[in-house]
Amino acid sequence: MSTLSNATNIFWQECQIGNPERQKLLNQKGCVVWITGLSGSGKSTLACSLSRELHSRGKLSYVLDGDNLRHGLNKDLGFKPEDRTENIRRTGEVAKLFADAGLICVASLISPYRRDRDVCRAMLSDANFIEVFMNMPLELCEARDPKGLYKLARAGKIKGFTGIDDPYEPPLNCEIEIKQEGGVCPTPNVMAGQVACYLEEKGFLEC
Ligand SMILES: Nc1ncnc2c1ncn2[C@@H]1O[C@H](COP(=O)(O)OS(=O)(=O)O)[C@@H](OP(=O)(O)O)[C@H]1O
Ligand SMILES: Nc1ncnc2c1ncn2[C@@H]1O[C@H](COP(=O)(O)OP(=O)(O)O)[C@@H](O)[C@H]1O
């Protein structure tokens, strides 16, 4: 694991106990499950449901939720494009640390810009970054509107709201797509099962 820095005279420190030893201890492989989608598409619901499913299987996960991170680590950031980019970059770096710790890190953020998500993907080996696209129609998200934000955005009281007057760029090559079947959204358990199956098939749930 190494990283680039603007600072000079910086050296990478290795420890005897590294990622392989931690993964063996946990009997799982660290990775990042990155959930992207519109506000109200079900990102947090899937993240929590997946975390519960993994916990029940004896697997250690940790959820990094955009809303929650904006209460602390990212509290200095707003929703301008450059702030969203920095929000995603920081979260990607934290997710990378959790994956290195051996955890299944579940990041759930709108992460509307493709380039920002790809920057996070490039922080890890490609197989260890699992992009999950909540492919829910805007109409559904807007009808749900659990926080009343779409209503405020439509009324012009929130500017630059994703999907209304700020863009959302859907993934071109995501590993997992969650979408409606016959106009019906899968239940949280079914969505979590879909992701857990992927992790199992790819060998992340053993070491
Ligand atoms: N302008 C604007 N656009 C989009 N979302 C907004 C905005 N203002 C506030 N919110 C609330 O912030 C939550 C999104 O935070 P994120 O960190 O996931 O956003 S981003 O990835 O940086 O775009 C998002 O949470 P979710 O609804 O859970 O997605 C909203 O509750
Ligand atoms: N699979 C689902 N089936 C039915 N309702 C859902 C589902 N996923 C999410 N919801 C509901 O939709 C709303 C938005 O979900 P949430 O997880 O907060 O979305 P996001 O984190 O993307 O903003 C919540 O009220 C939640 O209960």
Side-chain angles (χ1 to χ4, degrees):
M1 187 178 173
S2 71
T3 189
L4 293 172
S5 170
N6 288 331
T8 53
N9 301 322
I10 303 293
F11 300 90
W12 189 260
Q13 292 295 331
E14 289 294 346
C15 292
Q16 282 166 339
I17 301 300
N19 172 262
E21 290 74 22
R22 291 188 287 270
Q23 294 194 148
K24 204 166 165 208
L25 190 70
L26 294 168
N27 190 29
Q28 64 185 52
K29 295 194 189 84
C31 63
V32 174
V33 176
W34 190 281
I35 307 173
T36 173
L38 291 170
S39 176
S41 60
K43 300 181 299 296
S44 306
T45 301
L46 170 57
C48 293
S49 191
L50 176 60
S51 192
R52 207 171 43 237
E53 170 66 23
L54 293 171
H55 187 82
S56 76
R57 296 187 190 203
K59 302 298 160 192
L60 191 58
S61 66
Y62 192 81
V63 175
L64 296 175
D65 191 87
D67 259 332
N68 294 352
L69 294 175
R70 282 175 177 278
H71 282 84
L73 177 69
N74 295 330
K75 72 199 292 186
D76 56 323
L77 301 174
F79 290 91
K80 290 182 298 198
E82 57 270 35
D83 281 7
R84 293 189 199 247
T85 295
E86 176 61 8
N87 183 36
I88 301 313
R89 188 196 68 80
R90 280 185 207 169
T91 307
E93 290 286 359
V94 173
K96 175 182 167 178
L97 293 176
F98 274 109
D100 187 47
L103 276 72
I104 296 164
C105 181
V106 184
S108 49
L109 298 91
I110 296 179
S111 41
Y113 309 141
R114 203 173 286 135
R115 198 181 53 180
D116 296 346
R117 297 191 301 267
D118 287 345
V119 165
C120 295
R121 181 183 286 277
M123 290 176 192
L124 291 117
S125 73
D126 203 37
N128 289 354
F129 186 87
I130 300 138
E131 192 171 355
V132 181
F133 174 32
M134 301 301 296
N135 189 2
M136 298 298 157
L138 175 64
E139 298 69 40
L140 174 71
C141 301
E142 200 168 347
R144 285 175 171 168
D145 203 10
K147 303 168 193 158
L149 298 179
Y150 281 102
K151 205 168 171 212
L152 290 174
R154 288 287 184 198
K157 292 182 180 155
I158 301 180
K159 302 282 182 214
F161 196 78
T162 305
I164 305 299
D165 56 351
D166 212 64
Y168 178 80
E169 300 168 359
L172 299 176
N173 292 304
C174 61
E175 279 70 16
I176 301 174
E177 183 181 4
I178 309 274
K179 58 178 184 187
Q180 293 181 307
E181 297 293 344
V184 179
C185 182
T187 65
N189 279 345
V190 168
M191 301 194 297
Q194 189 180 337
V195 180
C197 272
Y198 179 95
L199 294 174
E200 189 164 36
E201 275 169 23
K202 298 289 177 184
F204 287 105
L205 304 187
E206 59 188 8
C207 195

